[in-house]
Structure formats: structure tokens, C-alpha cells
Amino acid sequence: MAALSPVRGTKDLIFDDARRMRRVADTGRAVAALYGYDEIATPVFEFTNVFARTLGDTSDIVTKEMYTFEDKGGDSLTLRPEGTAGIARAFISNGLTQDLPLRVFYQGPMFRYERPQKGRMRQFHQIGVEVLGIAQPQADIEVIALGAQILAELGLGDRVQLEINTLGDTASRAAYRDTLVAYLSGHKDGLSEDSLARLDRNPMRILDSKDEGDKAVVAGAPVMSDSMNDESRAFFDTVLEGLTALDIPFVLNPKLVRGLDYYGHTAFEFTTTDLGAQGTVMAGGRYDGLIKQMGGPPTPGVGWAAGIERLSMMAGEGTPLPRPVAVIPVGADNQALGLRLAHDLRRAGIAADLAHSGNLGKRMKRANKVGARAAVIIGDDERARGVATLRDMDSGEQSDVPLDGLVETLKAAP
RNA sequence: GUGGCUGUAGCUCAGUUGGUUAGAGCACUAGAUUGUGGAUCUAGGGGUCGUGGGUUCAAAUCCCAUCAGCCACCCCA
């Protein structure tokens, strides 16, 4: 379109867009605080191996979606494609191993080199939470409850659905993987080209293929629960019982798997049908092996991330700016008084608008345009009497208010 | 990365079988209205017709390429 356009898959967030997204992030932060989660902000780029090592060599994110570049010192750096790896790294780097359990909230931009479409950008934004150091399923329940409350406070409670599954512990998962591969290998002629490739790299993902041929094969495939050992089964049961006790509705989805390698046990997604093919709005699970894999002490973890763009597209209007009071000095002699008055209002916590020029009519128009709740008019007549004309911009009613009581009067008015 | 659809003013869109200075509504600016906004009327500003090339006497219109957006796949937030 224009000669100067933003990089593909990036977007300028102007005013309303920014406010909508800020509302999502603010809601997330505020609700997380109710659960005792404090904010952590890690850099937007890391050494490449922070992601390459943790996300799995076969994941799409690592193989084709990372923004990786070499800096002037020759180090390979990568713009973070997700938040968990950076937080795990920060946990180790900062010696937070002494402060377990740790509950954190984060928020910020992520980067993935993908083909953009609605609800999918190359730079997008996420909110997320992580709990480190709690191996019990209570943490899974807590994290899901927290996510559900954020969605509810955004007004999305009945437009999303919680889908949940368990991937089991390492032993269960390995056992299942073997039986699954054995089964699928016997049905190779029914599988799509994509799935044949997945058979080696990540056979679990064939389970949620959209290919009709694959679906037919998968329909007869062995299910995860049959390979589950007692510990894994008990863990998952506790999670489900907790959700039920909290009246958080869910549907079991045995085909729900994770794209990233570090997940085990609980996997869940909040999904919607409102965003076309981009149905996932919040997704997470348990990742007990991650910290150790990165070189830290064995530390269990569970968390989720949610797409701010996707949520804000569903959540509607952002938080509006406060309606200002328009300060309108009439005549050159009263400009200084107007400036002083606007200054006093602002310092008292009242939003004030002061036009840079114009006569009374023009300034009234501006007051209307900026949505002022009231106009304070000060001309020679008012100044001589030590008052200002206060006009309610909604009702049109006017009254005289003493100048020295103006701030208090406006503070009291809603 | 693969396939399909679409690009005309800030926004939503018209523009006939190719034809001369590319239009409308909304928005914006000014005036009607020199101490009173919203409504109305009038006038005005604003366009490399996504970009580059080609065909033609002539291209917003036809052809090719490219870029971007959208949709589906892959995958995901």
C-alpha cells in the first residue's frame, strides 16, 4: 500500500488497538496478582541455544520459525518465540532455585517467522504464567483456574472451551509412543505424506491431523490412557477432580498433544470457534524436565501462555481514556490563567485538555471532540469576579464556580 | 513453505466493451457563527489507482512479475 510499510507480519498498534491489548495484559496481571504471581520480564532475545535446546530439535518452532541472527560479537542470538524457555533460563541464571516455589507472570512480544493471517503475526504478544517447584497436581489446577478467571474477567467465559489431556510421565509417554508407532507403521498406506514424515519425528502429532485419511487411521489407534501407569493416572485424576470441585468445565481430548517437546503430564488448551483456524487462545501444560534439561537442578514446572491479540480480538473495547475537563481561556490576557488551571487540575489527578489556540467557539468544538465531560471557561468577566464558568458538556448546564474551589468541585464530580 | 481470493483518498467503496482533468459517503480543515460544542448548509485540502515492467494512439481497467492483506493447509498464541 504505502511506500513505507511495516515488516510483514508486524503491526502498528495505534490508540484503540493498544488500549485493547493493554486491557488484556492488565487484566492478566491483576488476576495473577490475586494468586500471588509477581511479574518477571526477561529479554526479548537470548542465545540461540536457550531455545534450540529446550523446545526440541524437531519442533517447527526450532526448525523453521525462529528469528535467528548473529550479532557483531559473533554470537548466535534468537528473538524469543515463546516465554517459558527464557524464564527457565532466568531462573537458573539468577539463582532463584533458593526461592521455590516460584509463581511468575509475564507479558510481552514474541517472534515467529510464519506466514501471517488473522490472529497470527510474526511479532505477536503473549501473557503467561509459570509455577516452578511444585510437583503436585495442585499447581496444575491453580494455573488453569487462574487462566479461566482471566478469560472470565475479559468476558470470554462462555466463548471458550477448556480441553485437557494428559501426556503421562516419561515412562508412560515412551510406552505409548512405542505402541503408537507400532500401530501406525502397520497402516502406512493410509497416512498422508505429512504424517509419514511425522512418524519419525513426532508421531504423537499424527493424532490431531486434519487429513481425512489420517483421521481414519487414528480412529483405530491405541489410546494414551491404556499405556498410562498408575502414578500418571492418579495425577491426572487429581487434576480433573480439582477442576470439578472449582466448577471449571472441561472436555477430555485424548488427541490433544503439544508442539513443544518439554511437556509431560497435563496438557490443556482454551479454544474458541470465533477466530477461524486460530482456535487456540490459551495453551499450556506441565514441563517437569525442562529446567534440568537446561542445566539447572531438577525442578518441576507448569504454566500456560495466551495470545494477547487473539484475546483482544474477542474481548472488544479497550479501557478508554478518562474524559477530560476542557480548560478554555478567552482572550490573550487569560492564557496564563488557563495554563495554570490545567496544570493544577492535572496535578490533582484530573484529566485536563488545553487547546493551543482558537477562539471560544473553536475551543468548544475541540472540547466536544475530545469527549470532555465539562468545560471551564475563564474570560475577563469571570476573572474580574474570581470565578469560572463551568459547563456540563452532556447536559449543557452552566454555573459559576469560585476559582479557588474549582479543583475540589471537579474532583467531586464524577 | 504450499494453494486460493483481494489490493482505487485516513476509512467503507463506485469507476460501463480500455478513452481525455479518477468519483461518492464518512472523516479532516475553513466559513456561515468575533463569549458557547454536538445539528445543518457551503467551500476546501487530501490519490505514485499496492509496486515494477509489458501490450496499446490511449491502462485503475488487459498481460507478466513482485509486495502486502485475507482464507485454507502446515503449525501454533
Side-chain angles (χ1 to χ4, degrees):
Chain A
M1 205 182 254
L4 282 178
S5 56
V7 173
R8 184 172 205 190
T10 67
K11 189 172 185 293
D12 299 310
L13 300 167
I14 297 174
F15 303 144
D16 187 52
D17 284 338
R19 275 189 282 108
R20 301 162 85 107
M21 289 183 49
R22 193 171 68 224
R23 179 177 155 233
V24 172
D26 288 350
T27 301
R29 184 186 298 107
V31 175
L34 298 175
Y35 287 73
Y37 290 58
D38 204 357
E39 186 161 2
I40 178 169
T42 64
V44 296
F45 52 64
E46 299 272 357
F47 290 116
T48 298
N49 63 21
V50 168
F51 304 112
R53 247 200 276 155
T54 56
L55 302 181
D57 297 336
T58 60
S59 73
D60 275 35
I61 287 184
V62 171
T63 54
K64 63 180 198 188
E65 293 178 2
M66 294 205 306
Y67 271 97
T68 297
F69 59 97
E70 196 171 287
D71 73 3
K72 292 183 179 179
D75 290 316
S76 179
L77 307 180
T78 293
L79 263 33
R80 62 181 183 192
E82 56 97 50
T84 304
I87 285 175
R89 193 233 79 223
F91 169 77
I92 299 169
S93 309
N94 294 286
L96 297 173
T97 50
Q98 305 304 309
D99 294 321
L100 295 175
L102 210 60
R103 290 176 165 85
V104 304
F105 168 86
Y106 66 89
Q107 159 276 125
M110 306 291 166
F111 306 85
R112 292 182 197 173
Y113 190 86
E114 292 190 278
R115 184 100 166 234
Q117 53 186 96
K118 197 185 210 74
R120 165 186 282 172
M121 304 287 291
R122 288 186 175 178
Q123 175 177 341
F124 61 106
H125 299 76
Q126 288 185 330
I127 55 174
V129 300
E130 315 287 357
V131 175
L132 298 178
I134 300 182
Q136 288 79 13
Q138 281 68 30
D140 305 54
I141 299 165
E142 174 182 301
V143 144
I144 293 171
L146 165 49
Q149 185 169 341
I150 292 171
L151 294 170
E153 295 208 2
L154 288 170
L156 305 178
D158 44 14
R159 292 169 67 192
V160 297
Q161 183 176 58
L162 171 59
E163 299 181 38
I164 191 165
N165 189 27
T166 179
L167 306 173
D169 62 13
T170 310
S172 297
R173 201 157 60 255
Y176 178 57
R177 184 186 162 114
D178 289 345
T179 45
L180 183 64
V181 170
Y183 168 81
L184 293 172
S185 299
H187 295 77
K188 276 187 179 172
D189 44 347
L191 291 176
S192 67
E193 213 171 299
D194 281 335
S195 288
L196 286 174
R198 286 187 279 224
L199 195 52
D200 294 328
R201 290 184 291 125
N202 198 339
M204 306 263 284
R205 250 190 267 158
I206 298 175
L207 291 176
D208 65 352
S209 171
K210 289 174 187 169
D211 181 87
E212 289 304 323
D214 289 347
K215 283 183 181 174
V217 173
V218 166
V223 293
M224 179 83 213
S225 55
D226 291 340
S227 302
M228 196 82 58
N229 59 31
D230 291 344
E231 292 79 9
S232 297
R233 197 187 307 274
F235 188 98
F236 192 49
D237 286 344
T238 304
V239 173
L240 299 185
E241 284 160 18
L243 295 176
T244 302
L246 298 179
D247 299 318
I248 296 171
F250 59 86
V251 297
L252 293 174
N253 179 356
K255 297 190 171 89
L256 177 65
V257 294
R258 290 267 68 109
L260 307 181
D261 285 1
Y262 52 63
Y263 286 101
H265 281 300
T266 316
F268 62 89
E269 291 182 2
F270 284 89
T271 60
T272 179
T273 54
D274 293 359
L275 297 176
Q278 275 62 246
T280 304
V281 116
M282 177 182 286
R286 179 163 280 276
Y287 49 89
D288 289 347
L290 174 64
I291 306 277
K292 186 182 177 199
Q293 188 184 335
M294 290 187 78
T299 308
V302 58
W304 52 253
I308 296 181
E309 281 86 353
R310 291 183 184 179
L311 290 176
S312 70
M313 275 190 284
M314 295 177 70
E317 292 305 300
T319 310
L321 287 179
R323 296 180 70 190
V325 170
V327 176
I328 302 183
V330 181
D333 292 346
N334 297 305
Q335 298 303 312
L337 180 55
L339 179 61
R340 180 71 224 182
L341 187 50
H343 185 66
D344 289 344
L345 288 170
R346 290 162 179 159
R347 287 172 60 96
I350 298 168
D353 180 81
L354 181 67
H356 64 277
S357 67
N359 57 24
L360 177 58
K362 187 153 293 186
R363 286 174 188 257
M364 284 300 290
K365 273 190 181 177
R366 176 180 166 81
N368 191 59
K369 203 175 102 178
V370 299
R373 62 185 168 105
V376 171
I377 301 165
I378 30 180
D380 294 339
D381 171 52
E382 282 89 349
R383 193 172 48 148
R385 293 189 289 126
V387 301
T389 296
L390 177 62
R391 181 183 178 87
D392 183 310
M393 292 297 285
D394 294 324
S395 68
E397 286 170 21
Q398 293 193 173
S399 58
D400 285 351
V401 175
L403 277 176
D404 54 11
L406 199 54
V407 169
E408 287 311 310
T409 301
L410 287 167
K411 218 172 189 173

